[in-house]
Amino acid sequence: MKYLLVFSILFLAGSAYAQTPFRDTSGLTLNGIEWCEENYQLYTFIGNDFFEHHQHSIESRLCGNLYNDDLWPYSEHDRYQKLIEQSRMYYNLEIQESSDEAKTGIVDTKPVNMEEIPQEVAQQQKELEKSIAESESNEMDANVQETEVVNLEGGGCLIATATYGSEMAPQVQSLREIRDSQLMNTNSGASFMGGFNHWYYSFSPYIADMERESPAFKEMIKIGITPLLSSLSIMSYAESESEVAVYGIGVVLLNLGMYVAAPVMIVYKIKSIL
């Protein structure tokens, strides 16, 4: 009885504030589906921690259900509408599960459509290292291994997607094209992306969340990453292993100059004048 009373209070309170930018009173909105898409890469990297990261919100649980639904890979023109409809079914199931948990006192933190989150971080890194090692030792299997790595690394840039509003934005697609066509087609590039993604996804979800919450912060990030995106376009001219390495080092040095050396020199000049 106690649990039922607690559930009733929480349910009524939740219903009063049920409508958010990502969902309404029946399921996810279009913005919610796009939010799921933006977070899919993070989900595949951190597994169960994805839900804890989002404080086990109903939005994250609905995304988790959709990620494990056969409909998620669907790519026809009505994909968003079908996913929205599917999210409504899962929303009702989540409410029912919450009701059952209130009666039994047993709480299950996983979404209703899944028993175990696939592809934990360690498994991701293990598969990536194996793929790179095999491509180096067997040139005949290189194309196959590169395809596996591309699939493993698929997904958009969380910060750029949040900054420009969509994975289909030209800036985001440009980053994806450089990654898939230049970096992932070489052993050194694929190796770099493995280490980079491990570092990048340790902080990018928080930046992307802050951008969605603060338009002013979003504009600051847009201004800040514009020179970086422009410099990365140089990589589109790299066509071989050696060129990827040379251009890559050049891009790194260029950005160190723009983001580190130049500000330090400006501060030094200002101090010397004062």
Side-chain angles (χ1 to χ4, degrees):
M1 186 65 182
K2 177 178 68 175
Y3 291 115
L4 183 58
L5 178 60
V6 171
F7 168 77
S8 299
I9 294 173
L10 291 176
F11 180 76
L12 290 174
S15 298
Y17 298 96
Q19 190 160 339
T20 73
F22 299 141
R23 67 180 173 90
D24 52 28
T25 55
S26 59
L28 292 175
T29 62
L30 176 58
N31 285 340
I33 299 299
E34 292 177 342
W35 185 79
C36 290
E37 290 182 329
E38 293 173 10
N39 281 273
Y40 181 65
Q41 182 75 6
L42 174 64
Y43 161 79
T44 62
F45 263 75
I46 65 176
N48 280 317
D49 291 340
F50 172 80
F51 303 104
E52 184 175 351
H53 170 70
H54 290 293
Q55 301 178 335
H56 298 283
S57 66
I58 184 65
E59 290 88 353
S60 67
R61 293 169 69 90
L62 291 176
C63 288
N65 284 312
L66 292 177
Y67 294 153
N68 289 270
D69 192 287
D70 293 338
L71 185 62
W72 183 252
Y74 183 73
S75 59
E76 297 299 326
H77 69 280
D78 57 345
R79 177 175 187 268
Y80 284 149
Q81 185 57 42
K82 286 184 176 294
L83 288 174
I84 289 173
E85 293 173 358
Q86 197 75 343
S87 76
R88 292 171 180 168
M89 178 192 72
Y90 287 124
Y91 182 82
N92 291 330
L93 291 175
E94 289 289 346
I95 294 299
Q96 181 60 49
E97 183 182 66
S98 297
S99 176
D100 295 339
E101 290 171 355
K103 295 175 182 177
T104 62
I106 301 175
V107 178
D108 180 10
T109 59
K110 297 187 298 296
V112 294
N113 188 37
M114 54 198 303
E115 296 181 358
E116 183 178 0
I117 305 293
Q119 295 183 314
E120 299 288 353
V121 178
Q123 183 65 22
Q124 285 273 345
Q125 295 303 317
K126 182 178 179 181
E127 291 179 1
L128 178 61
E129 292 170 1
K130 179 181 178 181
S131 176
I132 295 173
E134 289 179 354
S135 66
E136 291 176 345
S137 63
N138 190 342
E139 186 175 354
M140 292 182 63
D141 292 336
N143 291 334
V144 175
Q145 297 304 324
E146 287 168 1
T147 300
E148 291 178 356
V149 175
V150 168
N151 290 335
L152 181 62
E153 301 297 339
C157 171
L158 294 182
I159 294 177
T161 300
T163 300
Y164 295 102
S166 170
E167 286 195 348
M168 301 307 294
Q171 296 86 348
V172 180
Q173 293 199 62
S174 176
L175 288 175
R176 186 183 297 112
E177 179 66 22
I178 291 172
R179 180 199 66 195
D180 294 346
S181 299
Q182 270 71 41
L183 296 178
M184 299 307 296
N185 280 330
T186 64
N187 292 330
S188 59
S191 180
F192 167 78
M193 287 303 301
F196 173 80
N197 278 347
H198 185 73
W199 168 76
Y200 176 74
Y201 285 104
S202 67
F203 66 86
S204 60
Y206 304 99
I207 301 296
D209 285 344
M210 291 172 64
E211 286 189 78
R212 282 187 285 268
E213 294 171 0
S214 172
F217 181 72
K218 178 179 179 179
E219 289 303 314
M220 290 176 57
I221 293 296
K222 182 180 293 186
I223 294 172
I225 68 175
T226 296
L228 172 63
L229 297 181
S230 299
S231 67
L232 286 174
S233 64
I234 298 173
M235 295 300 301
S236 62
Y237 297 101
E239 297 180 353
S240 65
E241 182 89 24
S242 59
E243 288 181 349
V244 167
V246 172
Y247 282 115
I249 293 173
V251 168
V252 170
L253 293 176
L254 178 60
N255 281 281
L256 285 175
M258 289 190 296
Y259 290 99
V260 179
V264 169
M265 292 180 63
I266 292 173
V267 171
Y268 177 78
K269 288 290 185 181
I270 293 175
K271 284 187 175 181
S272 63
I273 294 174
L274 298 177

